Amino acid sequence: MRVPLSKVFVLASRDYIHEWQMSFCFVLALAAVLGPMMVLFGLKFGIVGAMVDQLIEDPGNREIRPVSSGRFDRTWLESVRKRSDVAFLVPRTRSIAATIELGSEGSSRHVRAELIPSDEGDPMLSPQGERPEGVTRIVLSRSAAEKLQVEVGDTLDGSLARQYRGHKERVHLPLTVAAVAPARAFSRDGAFVSVSLLEALEDFRDGRAVPRMGWDGDGEKNARTYPSFRLYARSIYDVAGLRDAFAKLGVDVKTHAADIELVQRMNRNLTAIYWVIAVIGLFGFSLSLGASLWANVDRKRKELSVLRLVGFRTMDIAWFPMVQALYTAIFGWALAVGLYQAVASVINEMMASQLIEGQQVCRLLLHHYGIALGLTCASAVIAAGLAGLRSAHIEPSASLRDL
Amino acid sequence: MSHSFADSWGLLVFGTWHHNMNTSDSSPSQSRGALVYYVRDVVKTREAEGVAFRLKVPSLQIAMGEKIALVGESGCGKSTLLDILAFILKPSSVGAFRFRPERDGEPLDMDAYWRSGKLNQLGDLRKRYLGYVMQTGGLLPYLTVRENMDLCRSVLGLKHDGTIEHLAEQLGIVKHLNKLPDALSTGERQRVAIGRALAHRPSIVIADEPTASLDPYAAQKIMSHFMDLVEELNITVILASHAWRHIKELGLRRLHHRTVRSTDTNLTETIVSG
Ligand SMILES: Nc1ncnc2c1ncn2[C@@H]1O[C@H](COP(=O)(O)OP(=O)(O)OP(=O)(O)O)[C@@H](O)[C@H]1O
Ligand SMILES: [Mg+2]
């Protein structure tokens, strides 16, 4: 025959409200600990987040390029491309051979464009835009497009020359502008083209025949190898792993792993510092709440023994400090959230000029609020547990006649 | 009432005790048939700072519907006995301690409850069958008068049926029902406490000097209200008081006791029987 929990809950609530001044002090004390902690975490999360955002935003940070040229064949490259931490891989032809003269009708200028091998899923190109395709469709870099004064759909005249059997030879090929790459993709004059076009141009320069283009030469190339490749890791966090994997294969690569690791290390260190502060803060709060709840049991000894007298059970009584501690936790958390949001909006306002649109220095995700509430409730429950045990042991006879 | 410790008071006590059998509705034969309390050789020893107090109850029987008064000077052990009878104080040693709240139920062995530490079951018995009026209020400051009076009822899950209002009317505190106890005078609080002890229609009401903090006139008035109510509800009453004068007119059976103070061993002993 237990007292219904709802009854215990109502009584504990009434007591909490009746002593609202005392309760408010507890709530304030909690918010004073939790609020700054949330601001601190928001700052850490926001600053590290912004740095990570910047790293992620530029796909160039995911690039891995061999330092010196090697001899990579198709099967080897294919096996690397199939790795789960590799997002994109295309072979590079010799860079000496990877240029072309471009001319357009709209402009008298001729542009010498560097050619970058590309393919489906090139992270440097905008995901919605057209890809370079076959031997005619290419993606121009912004600067090349401006110099040539062309737009998407325009045709260009591509030409290249070679020294062949003692005399100079020049071929022309019609090219179509499939798209213009974003400015950050390539800052110089250049064009993203298919690997097959690059292979054709390299063969032409080497004096070989390229029958599919109708170019004459000394027979076809059979076993092709590539001196280099364009590789992008799936995420910035895969870069270091890939670098090490290449080192094992004897391929020296250049990466942005150091930048990424710096941010990661900073994140780790800040997180560690933050948790030390948070644990000390919550422990302190737990201790102070526990102490005051413990003292409360003494203060309310008579009232609790009255409840004991009218038949409240041990467990019913133990719920009292528990319910009240949870109230403190929830209200204190709510106040801390309000405090945090006020401070965060001021900080973000102050920093707005130094940040990209929509970025925030002080920022929390929804689940961070949840974690804060969970931790607070947990420490409150631990604090109340001891007081609860103590209040459960109140003997009605011993304290009824106090006062 | 001061005797030297050398008296062989175990025998003496039985010889000097007399019962008041002139109480209203409980003839001895009836009472033997429906005993609420049956107590034999219960002892409670309390000690603090080398000063000891011992309460002895060689034999005590309280019948259903009886109105008992425990009258004696301060410190003679009235509250100690009431607390034992209300199951909130554990006796030091027990010959027999049986409680039969229902007229045709089995008597319960309270000593067994105490020995096995079933405090929650003792609480359940209090909740169900006992009303307790304390010397000073004992009201919860965060509940209104109405809620305070309703406490025992609501804990038992009893519905609102006008009992509280009826009681409040008889105790003259209707206009205070929605106030907090803080806003009441001591006498009014005491009436609320009486109301609370009666509201769930317990079979027994134990009152420990319910009017001790009031002036004689108010005490008289509240006590007569109280007696009317318990009479109306046919409740067994055990009342402690240090002034017999008021009690006599209310028609209670007086429980006699003897207090012995020894000068050399710092022991005070009270023997109660009835
Ligand atoms: N918690 C305790 N520990 C030790 N001794 C106690 C304790 N409570 C009471 N006593 C002693 O027990 C004796 C009886 O106390 P009790 O409270 O039963 O007296 P009382 O008859 O109710 O007195 P009053 O009329 O003043 O209320 C007293 O002498 C007191 O000193
Ligand atoms: Mg007393």
Side-chain angles (χ1 to χ4, degrees):
Chain A
M1 203 170 63
R2 287 198 56 173
V3 176
L5 209 57
S6 60
K7 186 76 199 161
V8 176
F9 183 79
V10 167
L11 287 176
S13 311
R14 291 294 293 273
D15 186 21
Y16 195 76
I17 297 165
H18 181 73
E19 296 206 308
W20 63 269
Q21 281 151 317
M22 190 70 108
S23 311
F24 185 65
C25 288
F26 289 150
V27 168
L28 266 188
L30 170 56
V33 173
L34 195 57
M37 240 149 63
M38 287 174 87
V39 172
L40 216 59
F41 188 80
L43 277 172
K44 183 210 87 104
F45 186 71
I47 290 170
V48 173
M51 291 170 79
V52 170
D53 279 353
Q54 260 155 22
L55 283 178
I56 289 172
E57 193 163 6
D58 182 4
N61 285 316
R62 289 190 279 133
E63 187 174 9
I64 292 170
R65 60 164 75 208
V67 174
S68 50
S69 58
R71 295 168 68 84
F72 307 109
D73 60 29
R74 272 274 180 194
T75 30
W76 185 84
L77 288 170
E78 193 58 27
S79 72
V80 174
R81 201 177 63 80
K82 284 204 177 106
R83 287 175 62 113
S84 62
D85 48 1
V86 172
F88 180 79
L89 173 69
V90 283
R92 274 184 196 275
T93 51
R94 287 200 320 280
S95 53
I96 290 276
T99 54
I100 197 167
E101 298 277 340
L102 292 177
S104 70
E105 281 174 11
S107 164
S108 55
R109 285 178 71 179
H110 275 248
V111 168
R112 189 178 174 78
E114 294 170 54
L115 297 179
I116 304 122
S118 179
D119 200 353
E120 191 68 32
D122 190 333
M124 297 309 285
L125 300 183
S126 79
Q128 305 86 10
E130 289 284 316
R131 312 270 127 200
E133 234 181 293
V135 291
T136 52
R137 291 176 70 77
I138 66 170
V139 175
L140 279 184
S141 78
R142 170 85 20 107
S143 101
E146 276 164 9
K147 282 183 186 154
L148 292 164
Q149 293 173 18
V150 288
E151 284 174 8
V152 174
D154 289 350
T155 46
L156 294 168
D157 170 57
S159 70
L160 68 164
R162 70 174 170 186
Q163 207 66 33
Y164 184 59
R165 290 183 182 161
H167 59 275
K168 197 170 175 177
E169 217 179 67
R170 179 169 284 275
V171 290
H172 287 266
L173 62 161
L175 297 168
T176 310
V177 180
V180 175
R184 62 167 166 76
F186 195 72
S187 54
R188 300 187 297 273
D189 298 338
F192 291 84
V193 302
S194 71
V195 175
S196 70
L197 177 58
L198 272 165
E199 287 172 354
L201 302 185
E202 189 182 53
D203 285 353
F204 174 76
R205 285 215 163 92
D206 288 351
R208 284 178 225 284
V210 188
R212 61 198 156 109
M213 304 294 287
W215 297 333
D216 278 340
D218 303 335
E220 283 179 63
K221 186 156 187 167
N222 24 40
R224 184 182 286 279
T225 60
Y226 303 88
S228 185
F229 49 82
R230 271 184 77 208
L231 188 151
Y232 291 85
R234 195 190 44 187
S235 84
I236 53 169
Y237 305 111
D238 294 319
V239 171
L242 271 168
R243 179 197 55 194
D244 297 343
F246 278 120
K248 249 186 219 137
L249 293 170
V251 181
D252 261 350
V253 291
K254 196 166 158 266
T255 62
H256 290 271
D259 298 346
I260 295 163
E261 271 168 1
L262 183 74
V263 171
Q264 278 178 306
R265 200 164 50 237
M266 201 170 105
N267 186 20
R268 266 198 304 275
N269 292 346
L270 285 177
T271 306
I273 292 170
Y274 172 78
W275 278 112
V276 168
I277 297 172
V279 164
I280 292 173
L282 272 183
F283 184 73
F285 159 71
S286 205
L287 220 60
S288 82
L289 181 66
S292 43
L293 285 172
W294 180 277
N296 248 359
V297 173
D298 268 336
R299 210 163 47 81
K300 298 188 181 169
R301 189 165 276 275
K302 176 150 183 174
E303 290 160 31
L304 291 175
S305 60
V306 166
L307 292 176
R308 207 83 174 110
L309 181 66
V310 300
F312 276 62
R313 290 188 160 195
T314 315
M315 271 313 289
D316 305 328
I317 299 277
W319 270 106
F320 253 72
M322 200 67 86
V323 169
Q324 300 184 343
L326 281 176
Y327 270 128
T328 301
I330 290 166
F331 291 139
W333 170 82
L335 189 60
V337 167
L339 216 72
Y340 160 78
Q341 282 186 337
V343 173
S345 72
V346 169
I347 291 177
N348 288 330
E349 195 80 24
M350 279 182 344
M351 297 290 187
S353 56
Q354 298 160 44
L355 292 170
I356 342 175
E357 184 70 18
Q359 213 169 39
Q360 292 174 316
V361 220
C362 196
R363 182 166 91 96
L364 287 183
L365 300 181
L366 217 57
H367 75 263
H368 290 140
Y369 294 107
I371 290 171
L373 180 61
L375 281 177
T376 316
C377 285
S379 51
V381 165
I382 292 168
L386 292 170
L389 272 181
R390 186 145 182 260
S391 59
H393 285 118
I394 283 196
E395 272 308 314
S397 69
S399 35
L400 269 179
R401 286 175 192 82
D402 297 352
L403 208 97
Chain B
M1 287 281 265
S2 204
H3 292 250
S4 99
F5 197 57
D7 282 348
S8 98
W9 36 271
L11 289 168
L12 179 140
V13 160
F14 282 105
T16 53
W17 275 12
H18 58 279
H19 288 191
N20 259 8
M21 292 301 195
N22 61 349
T23 35
S24 48
D25 58 1
S26 56
S27 77
S29 59
Q30 257 181 341
S31 59
R32 210 162 294 126
L35 285 181
V36 187
Y37 285 99
Y38 174 81
V39 176
R40 189 167 45 74
D41 294 328
V42 164
V43 177
K44 175 69 189 178
T45 310
R46 311 185 99 166
E47 207 172 335
E49 314 284 333
V51 182
F53 169 79
R54 185 182 293 147
L55 173 81
K56 275 192 172 181
V57 187
S59 161
L60 174 66
Q61 291 166 30
I62 298 171
M64 202 158 274
E66 249 190 314
K67 316 279 181 273
I68 306 276
L70 192 56
V71 184
E73 75 220 66
S74 176
C76 73
K78 303 182 293 294
S79 301
T80 306
L81 179 58
L82 290 193
D83 286 357
I84 289 172
L85 293 179
F87 324 129
I88 53 181
L89 189 64
K90 186 182 179 174
S92 309
S93 81
V94 173
F97 184 1
R98 284 197 273 281
F99 175 61
R100 183 160 67 175
E102 311 264 11
R103 194 173 283 272
D104 33 46
E106 281 296 303
L108 305 168
D109 183 359
M110 302 319 289
D111 187 39
Y113 281 113
W114 275 119
R115 269 187 284 112
S116 51
K118 289 184 176 147
L119 301 185
N120 286 337
Q121 275 83 344
L122 291 175
D124 288 346
L125 287 174
R126 279 200 297 274
K127 175 158 64 185
R128 190 100 178 64
Y129 300 111
L130 290 188
Y132 198 106
V133 188
M134 273 173 273
Q135 194 161 339
T136 47
L139 304 176
L140 298 177
Y142 47 86
L143 296 182
T144 61
V145 166
R146 185 195 303 277
E147 288 161 335
N148 260 298
M149 286 175 75
D150 198 42
L151 184 65
C152 295
R153 290 182 62 86
S154 66
V155 159
L156 284 169
L158 300 176
K159 298 270 167 297
H160 296 288
D161 60 354
T163 306
I164 304 296
E165 287 71 17
H166 179 69
L167 272 174
E169 201 170 309
Q170 282 170 299
L171 290 164
I173 46 174
V174 176
K175 61 176 181 293
H176 304 307
L177 274 177
N178 295 320
K179 286 189 191 170
L180 288 177
D182 286 354
L184 264 56
S185 76
T186 314
E188 288 160 346
R189 280 183 222 180
Q190 215 48 34
R191 287 184 245 187
V192 177
I194 289 170
R196 182 176 72 191
L198 295 171
H200 59 301
R201 298 182 187 262
S203 356
I204 301 112
V205 167
I206 295 178
D208 190 4
E209 309 194 49
T211 56
S213 53
L214 305 179
D215 66 90
Y217 175 71
Q220 189 77 42
K221 215 168 116 188
I222 289 177
M223 281 317 293
S224 69
H225 273 311
F226 176 68
M227 290 314 290
D228 287 348
L229 284 167
V230 294
E231 205 69 64
E232 185 186 316
L233 300 170
N234 192 30
I235 291 172
T236 309
V237 172
I238 307 167
L239 180 84
S241 174
H242 54 255
W244 173 238
R245 245 194 317 278
H246 309 300
I247 302 306
K248 199 158 54 181
E249 292 134 36
L250 299 168
L252 291 128
R253 165 161 83 97
R254 181 175 179 177
L255 218 55
H256 282 263
H257 68 90
R258 159 165 299 232
T259 302
V260 187
R261 288 207 170 87
S262 90
T263 39
D264 42 322
T265 52
N266 270 336
L267 177 83
T268 306
E269 189 161 60
T270 295
I271 300 105
V272 186
S273 264

